[in-house]
Each structure stands twice: as C-alpha cells, then as structure tokens.
Amino acid sequence: MGRFLQVTGLAIGLVGLVLQFCISIPASMAAGRSLLGSIVFLFSFFTILTNIGAVLVYTSLLSSTGYAWLPAFAGPKMRAGVAVSITVVFIVYATVLARLWQPQGLFLLCDVLLHYVTPVLFVLWWLVAGADGRTRWSDISRWMLYPVAYLAYALVRAPIAGEVPYPFLDVAKNGPASVAIAALAITALFLVISIIAACIDRGIGHREAKRVR
C-alpha cells in the first residue's frame, strides 16, 4: 500500500507541477512579466515549493534496496516536516483561498491536483509508510523554519516586485496589522499541525515497538 501511494503520489505530483509550469508561465508573460519574472513568481508560491518537496521525498525513496537517492529528503524528520507543510497547503487553500478565485480548464485541474490530491496522497503515504516514530519534539522548531522563512521572503519581496503570491500578504492593500494577523494565524496553524504530526509519529513508533515485543 505504501509503495502504491508513493508511486501514485509521485506521478500525480509531477504531472501537476509540470502542467502548472506549462500553463502559468505563458499566462504570466501575457500579464506583462518577463520570462525570468514569471518563473520567479511561480516559484514564490508556498504550494509549488511544498509540492516540489513532496516529489523530492518520494523520489529519494524510490530505490527498492533502501538506497536514498536524495539523502536530504529521505530522512524521517524531512518526511514529517513535508507532511505538516502540505497539510497546511490543503487547509489554507480549502478554507481561505479557494473562494477568492474561480479557475477554469487546466488551471482548475492543477488547483485540484496540487491543493487537494497531492496533500491527501502524501499524508496517507506518510501515515502508512513514512512515519516511523523517530520524530522528536525538538524537530518542530526545525519545521517551523520553513514557513517563517517563506513569510519573510514573501514580505521582503513584495515591495520590490510590486506583487505578492497570496492576497492576505498584501501589506499595501490590507495594511500591516491585517497581514501580521494573517501571518500569525498561519504560523499558529503550522505549529498546531506540527504538534499533531509529532504525536502521531510517536504513537506509531510506540505501536511498532509493542509489535516487535
């Protein structure tokens, strides 16, 4: 089951990312951005970066002999961290972003793949085969570096590029107080999901230990 979810998740993740790239870059250039600017803008989305992380985790564990193709993404702590991040992608999109625009055609397909299908598949894979009980509470602080670094990047880039990847990060339009509240809310959500993930992983570890006995 774990192998099936891994291969399926990898295939769907790659299709979603490649298709998103192929349709977004021309649309972005048509909106006035340069090729480089369009690429940078696409890779400024938390969703894109996190889905890339999921694909790299899957890829790192493809070898049937247990060899890690990409050691940095093969470890249990990275697997758990990506599971947390992609869960946040699902929740924030489903509760906040989905109602802000109505994509059509291939854009809708990409939205469904990258915001719903890949998160569900990755979390299921992690629960079945990725979690192994080696997560520590101290790992949460490492996982938190990713959203904090991303928020810092998005906010610093905004006045320079004159654009933001997500509407709730637009200081010019919403004001600093509103953006600060949104950033704190997302950070708090990330922290809560991280604690839940750590508890689940530790629970799986204890269950496996009892089986061995």
Side-chain angles (χ1 to χ4, degrees):
M1 182 64 173
R3 190 67 170 179
F4 170 78
L5 289 171
Q6 178 188 2
V7 173
T8 302
L10 175 59
I12 293 177
L14 285 173
V15 168
L17 287 168
V18 171
L19 183 59
Q20 185 73 72
F21 183 90
C22 291
I23 64 176
S24 294
I25 298 304
S28 182
M29 294 178 67
R33 297 184 186 89
S34 65
L35 174 60
L36 178 59
S38 297
I39 294 174
V40 171
F41 183 63
L42 177 62
F43 287 98
S44 293
F45 283 85
F46 191 82
T47 295
I48 299 298
L49 297 175
T50 306
N51 271 273
I52 291 174
V55 165
L56 291 176
V57 169
Y58 287 139
T59 303
S60 70
L61 300 169
L62 275 179
S63 173
S64 59
T65 64
Y67 177 78
W69 296 103
L70 302 169
F73 289 89
K77 297 177 182 179
M78 177 63 76
R79 299 197 297 261
V82 173
V84 170
S85 298
I86 210 159
T87 299
V88 172
V89 166
F90 176 94
I91 293 174
V92 173
Y93 188 82
T95 59
V96 178
L97 297 172
R99 56 190 173 84
L100 298 182
W101 78 312
Q102 290 75 44
Q104 303 294 324
L106 292 178
F107 283 99
L108 175 60
L109 175 60
C110 287
D111 260 27
V112 172
L113 291 179
L114 299 179
H115 292 107
Y116 296 114
V117 180
T118 55
V120 170
L121 284 174
F122 191 90
V123 171
L124 285 176
W125 169 79
W126 179 71
L127 291 172
V128 171
D132 61 4
R134 284 188 281 176
T135 294
R136 299 293 178 263
W137 295 115
S138 58
D139 296 330
I140 294 176
S141 61
R142 298 175 183 175
W143 300 339
M144 294 297 296
L145 291 176
Y146 174 41
V148 170
Y150 174 81
L151 285 170
Y153 162 75
L155 293 175
V156 169
R157 180 179 179 274
I160 299 173
E163 60 186 9
V164 291
Y166 299 105
F168 53 77
L169 296 179
D170 193 338
V171 176
K173 182 178 179 180
N174 303 320
S178 177
V179 171
I181 292 172
L184 287 173
I186 293 175
T187 303
L189 173 64
F190 200 100
L191 178 59
V192 170
I193 301 301
S194 295
I195 293 172
I196 293 173
C199 289
I200 291 174
D201 186 78
R202 292 167 71 86
I204 290 175
H206 291 154
R207 184 184 65 190
E208 294 300 322
K210 288 181 179 179
R211 284 183 180 179
V212 173
R213 294 172 188 171

